[in-house]
Amino acid sequence: MSKDSQGWRKKFGVIGPSTNTIVQPDFDDMRPYGVTNHYRGIFTPDANAVSNESFRAGAETIAGNTLDAVTNVMTCSPDYLVLGMSAVTFFDGGTGADRFQKQVEEHSGLKISFGSHACTAALNTYGGVKRIAVVSPYWPVMNTEVARYFGDMGFSVVRDIPLQCPSWTRIAHIGTPELRDALRKLDGDDVDAIVQVGTNLSMVRLAAAAELWLGKPVIAINTATYWHALRANGIQDKMPGFGRLLEEF
């Protein structure tokens, strides 16, 4: 049976908000030879997220448009789906994440990797992690959902920082200095690992560097999601420059 000439190992169908400009280059940077990523946008108006209420409403819009994007990407006959989205996958704790996974897998007929459960898998792979700190581009109402989810997964969120971005596209404008400051504020002897959520936040390389000077796991959600997709498909390539997760496990 013939295979795709470039995606001869695996073709990943990748979906994420249409406003997201970070997932596609992040995933492509982590792509091993013979694996291809095929990005399709979830229609997402760039509404201002200037309050807890408007942020939640915007995330609900993304959730409501997800299956249309899944239908779109299925036209290229992918082998597996990778969801480059974050907030939606934390709604309603572990039960909500499982429900979301079932909905997408039943609609597509494919297995999927997605942010919340990928971060859990990454934390469990490092081992010995119970207390975590979280940085996000979200508003406080969404960080509450993130903490609820991780609590359901057996972790305690000791501290969190919601960066409260004013719009979906502005998330991608957050740079290394602001994120570095957040990591310093989050770290402490009472924290076993730091997790960054929000897929339009560019932190895959900073997280890798931070592991060296903090001496503990620092997990960027895009790294965790793509790592999970590779390993779920039996692709064990070690990719340097993206932290211990992709280099060791």
Side-chain angles (χ1 to χ4, degrees), residues 16-29 39 46 84 168-174 199-202 222:
S18 56
T19 50
N20 191 305
T21 56
I22 298 301
V23 162
Q24 186 172 2
D26 273 2
F27 283 6
D28 283 347
D29 285 348
Y39 192 94
D46 191 24
W168 301 119
T169 53
R170 286 285 297 278
I171 293 172
H173 295 195
I174 296 174
T199 60
N200 206 25
L201 199 60
S202 181
N222 287 349

Side-chain angles (χ1 to χ4, degrees), residues 32-216:
Y33 183 66
V35 177
T36 51
N37 304 318
H38 307 281
Y39 192 94
R40 302 293 186 273
I42 302 165
F43 178 70
T44 308
D46 191 24
N48 288 335
V50 295
S51 68
N52 282 326
E53 292 73 23
S54 59
F55 186 97
R56 176 79 191 215
E60 294 286 3
T61 298
I62 295 172
N65 291 336
T66 293
L67 294 186
D68 286 342
V70 172
T71 299
N72 186 339
V73 80
M74 289 302 297
T75 61
C76 76
S77 299
D79 302 304
Y80 191 83
L81 295 185
V82 190
L83 277 57
M85 53 202 293
S86 180
V88 173
T89 73
F90 288 102
F91 282 159
D92 302 324
T95 299
D98 289 343
R99 183 173 60 247
F100 177 76
Q101 179 175 6
K102 181 180 179 182
Q103 182 183 36
V104 175
E105 289 185 343
E106 288 183 349
H107 185 82
S108 65
L110 296 178
K111 294 296 184 181
I112 68 172
S113 290
F114 60 100
S116 58
H117 278 0
C119 286
T120 292
L123 289 167
N124 288 332
T125 295
Y126 276 98
V129 176
K130 291 297 181 184
R131 302 163 301 173
I132 65 174
V134 174
V135 59
S136 84
Y138 305 149
W139 285 69
V141 67
M142 192 62 231
N143 272 27
T144 299
E145 292 287 333
V146 173
R148 174 185 174 186
Y149 167 83
F150 281 121
D152 287 351
M153 295 298 106
F155 303 101
S156 173
V157 177
V158 176
R159 280 184 293 283
D160 71 281
I161 294 177
L163 295 173
Q164 302 187 43
C165 288
S167 73
W168 301 119
T169 53
R170 286 285 297 278
I171 293 172
H173 295 195
I174 296 174
T176 295
E178 188 172 354
L179 290 170
R180 185 178 59 235
D181 289 346
L183 291 176
R184 286 171 170 158
K185 291 175 182 176
L186 289 170
D187 189 34
D189 293 339
D190 55 346
V191 170
D192 302 318
I194 298 175
V195 180
Q196 171 259 316
V197 301
T199 60
N200 206 25
L201 199 60
S202 181
M203 206 175 117
V204 294
R205 288 180 176 81
L206 175 61
E211 285 190 325
L212 298 177
W213 46 267
L214 293 179
K216 62 186 62 176

Side-chain angles (χ1 to χ4, degrees), residues 121-127 211 217 219 227-228 230-231 235-239 243-249:
L123 289 167
N124 288 332
T125 295
Y126 276 98
E211 285 190 325
I219 297 172
W227 163 83
H228 188 273
L230 292 174
R231 302 302 183 252
I235 298 170
Q236 299 296 327
D237 298 46
K238 303 301 190 287
M239 308 296 290
R244 291 181 58 204
L245 197 60
L246 271 174
E247 291 181 6
E248 297 181 20
F249 304 113

